[in-house]
Amino acid sequence: MARRISGRTHGDPRNADTRAKVVKHDYRPSREEILRYIAENPDRSGKREIAKAFALRGEDRVWLKDLLRDLQDEGLLTKERKRLARVGALPHVAMLDIFGRDGDGILLAHPAEPVGTGEPPVVSIRVSRGGSGPAPGIGDRVLAKTFPTDDATGPAYTGRVMKIFEKRTDAVLGVFRVLKDGTFRIEPVERRQPELIVDKEFQNGAKNGDLVEVEPARASRYGLPRAKVLAVLGSLTSEKAVSMIAIHAHDIPHIFPADVLAESEAVKPATMEHREDWRDLALVTIDPADAKDHDDAVFAMPDPDEKNPGGVIATVAIADVAAYVRYGTALDREALKRGNSVYFPDRVVPMLPERISNDLCSLREGEDRPAIAVRMTFSAEGRKLRHSFHRVMMKSKAKLAYPQAQAAIDGVTDDKTRPILDSVLKPLWDAYAVLKRGRDARQPLELDLPERKILLKEDGTVDRVIVPERLDAHKLIEEFMIQANVAAAETLEAKKEPLVYRVHDAPSLAKQESLREFLATLSLSLARGAQMRPSQFNGILERVRGADNEALVNEVVLRSQSQAEYSPKNIGHFGLNLKRYAHFTSPIRRYADLIVHRGLIAALGLGSGGLTQQEADRLEEIAVLISATERRAMAAERDTVDRLVAAYLAERVNDTFDARISGVTKAGLFVQLPQFGADGFIPVSTLGGDYYIYDETARSLFGERTGKGYQLADRVEVRLIEVAPMAGAMRFEMLTDPKPLPGSSRSFHKAKGRARASQSRSGSRGRRR
């Protein structure tokens, strides 16, 4: 007799404690029962939990492991945070956009972010009667817990609302233009938005060149749609106009409410209560030369313990933001809303007001500042032996810039570094040498992807783009911070204190297989195995170091990786090759770090400002929110760079540039200008007189007749044809002839066959040139 698992038992969290008892160990469950259990229990879908639910032991657990791997290989399951999920399934906590109602008046929503490759699932929103707070409505974005339904004809999920975000509007951002005939137009900042006409009565005081927010009217059958100006946001002649576009386009809060500013001004400096006096310890800050806030300071010394020869003691002190920003206050609510500071080339949108971020919490040279410090002892091999956390009052002995500290170590001192070279800086570098041994033994993922920095002129336009030199001073601070973050996670775990981890999952099986197929086109192999390790990727990267395809392989390996995020559930950090990791070292600019600080204060009894039970109960919600604000910041920063560079190059149409292919699609090639760090597009229809086929495996477009083409990371010469500065869009023409693609003639025909098969399935063959 088949063993049945009732949806009521497994879908109702009230029965979680008895779930493992509802089955008897009489036989193995069917594939359908396994899939149903995973769908109904997204938060209890690890391999061990599934085995427990079905009372599987011994050989049956081995059978279950093989079955789950088969279901993943068949594309029915995917692995996320060491938990299994149905492919295309919504996460248990998700952001949703409410778009309408069904026939019974129940609100309906779609996920705010893409899920899978098909149509987005529909979620019916359940609102409890008599609940407190405002009710959600059409157009709202909400954070909700989702539950799969058994109704094959209705919505796939129901959602229980946890939080309602500010109402979205249909407003459009654009630049107000006055044409020669006296009419008004809106030049949109979004690439796919059409131009708009503004009638004089809806001008609302806007002048030529103003950045405005407009409300589009219903489009007419003929001509351009009309709009009315809602607000003037500023002039494009101001030096910070470009970042202001990204701020409004991505709904980034950038003006502190009056109650938040009032609260920050009323804060009193921290006292010595519950603190150790570390003001005589020679802690120093090492930051970028233009840094305005300093949230970390470091010190190191040899370990005097004879039992640890060659060992070191490394100390990291972090600004005690929790002393000033308490849970539930206006300051705290605004910080959570922002999630993190956002860094543009021309400005910073801070998470906290300047009174907190640049004054009370900034570890200024020669001034008393509260901090939470961790003292870590390492063996000569770089293995951490022990650590301890302390709530202290400190006084930074020196404010140093990275190049300044590095120059002192390299023999060029100045008035500030000369007195502390032997007592402070050399011990720091000696400690870094020890920590580096531990890092080398750990073998984190080592991708060679240089970061570019845009330097601006006084008027806010681009001066030049540079790749800052990667100094040992940078690596020293990075490794000290990583070890402090690990120590924070370890302490909170040991104390069983809730926390938000910084997690990074291993590449999915699908991405692994895609990468494996790509590497095969270059005669490189990647071993199969359920448990991938960063060292396996490092081996591939080492094999292509110095080769022509080094940039290509680094790029493809990067794209195969999962995205790091925040979660109260630990799955480790794949890229850093760490079992437990939490952000602790930047509470001035990241809310995740503030949560960890509060957890340490509560767990170790370090005084007031610790994590409350109310906050601990919200960690899943908070993790989703701050992961989303991080992605929002990254998108806004990227868009700003694109717009700055497009505006800078608007006067250079028809000029030629050296470029690198940064993306390959059926529609054409994305190219990046290394000199400027911005992207543009080359339509496939402009590539020449061949029939170009897209080979997803090889990341290339190749000609059907010649077999020659273009591949990701190829270096090419291009001509700039068109620029849309406010949209940050550029169109190029390819000047470099197509090349024979890597591999033999046999490999080429295999790629051709794969591409034709793929196009046949999708019903698309591309276009003739």
Side-chain angles (χ1 to χ4, degrees), residues 357-407:
S357 61
N358 291 355
D359 183 4
L360 293 177
C361 285
S362 186
L363 306 181
R364 292 178 174 177
E365 178 180 314
E367 297 186 23
D368 291 359
R369 287 292 182 268
I372 295 180
V374 57
R375 182 175 280 153
M376 303 170 287
T377 302
F378 294 87
S379 70
E381 294 75 29
R383 181 170 57 89
K384 183 159 65 68
L385 303 178
R386 56 190 170 273
H387 68 264
S388 59
F389 280 90
H390 309 261
R391 205 170 194 185
V392 306
M393 186 68 74
M394 60 159 286
K395 183 186 291 185
S396 171
K397 292 298 179 288
K399 170 191 171 183
L400 304 176
Y402 286 118
Q404 181 184 20
Q406 187 67 54

Side-chain angles (χ1 to χ4, degrees), residues 28 78 211 235 242 261 300 336 383 422 565 580 627 708 716 738 740:
R28 295 169 177 172
T78 184
L211 178 65
S235 172
V242 176
L261 291 175
L336 176 56
R383 181 170 57 89
D422 293 328
E565 58 185 352
R580 49 193 64 83
S627 294
K708 297 179 180 180
V716 294

Side-chain angles (χ1 to χ4, degrees), residues 489-502:
E490 290 177 344
T491 295
L492 292 173
E493 260 196 18
K495 294 292 185 179
K496 302 189 184 308
E497 182 75 20
L499 74 149
V500 171
Y501 294 91
R502 180 64 168 180

Side-chain angles (χ1 to χ4, degrees), residues 90 96-100 107-111 120-125 140 142:
L90 272 181
L96 308 173
D97 289 332
I98 300 176
F99 66 85
L107 292 168
L108 301 176
H110 284 314
V122 176
V123 184
S124 63
I125 301 297
D140 279 344
V142 300

Side-chain angles (χ1 to χ4, degrees), residues 230-252:
L230 298 177
V232 178
L233 305 177
S235 172
L236 279 186
T237 59
S238 67
E239 64 179 33
K240 296 183 178 180
V242 176
S243 57
M244 183 60 73
I245 293 174
I247 287 169
H248 282 269
H250 292 276
D251 294 323
I252 294 174

Side-chain angles (χ1 to χ4, degrees), residues 177-253:
R177 299 295 190 194
V178 180
L179 304 186
K180 291 181 179 180
D181 60 3
T183 59
F184 306 137
R185 293 282 178 90
I186 301 298
E187 178 187 342
V189 301
E190 292 297 327
R191 304 182 186 191
R192 295 180 177 85
Q193 181 74 33
E195 277 194 345
L196 302 167
I197 296 174
V198 176
D199 293 326
K200 189 174 182 61
E201 60 266 31
F202 297 123
Q203 180 181 357
N204 198 16
K207 301 182 180 63
N208 188 47
D210 280 348
L211 178 65
V212 295
E213 193 175 49
V214 301
E215 181 182 37
R218 187 182 299 275
S220 62
R221 182 172 298 181
Y222 305 103
L224 294 174
R226 282 176 151 72
K228 62 179 180 180
V229 176
L230 298 177
V232 178
L233 305 177
S235 172
L236 279 186
T237 59
S238 67
E239 64 179 33
K240 296 183 178 180
V242 176
S243 57
M244 183 60 73
I245 293 174
I247 287 169
H248 282 269
H250 292 276
D251 294 323
I252 294 174

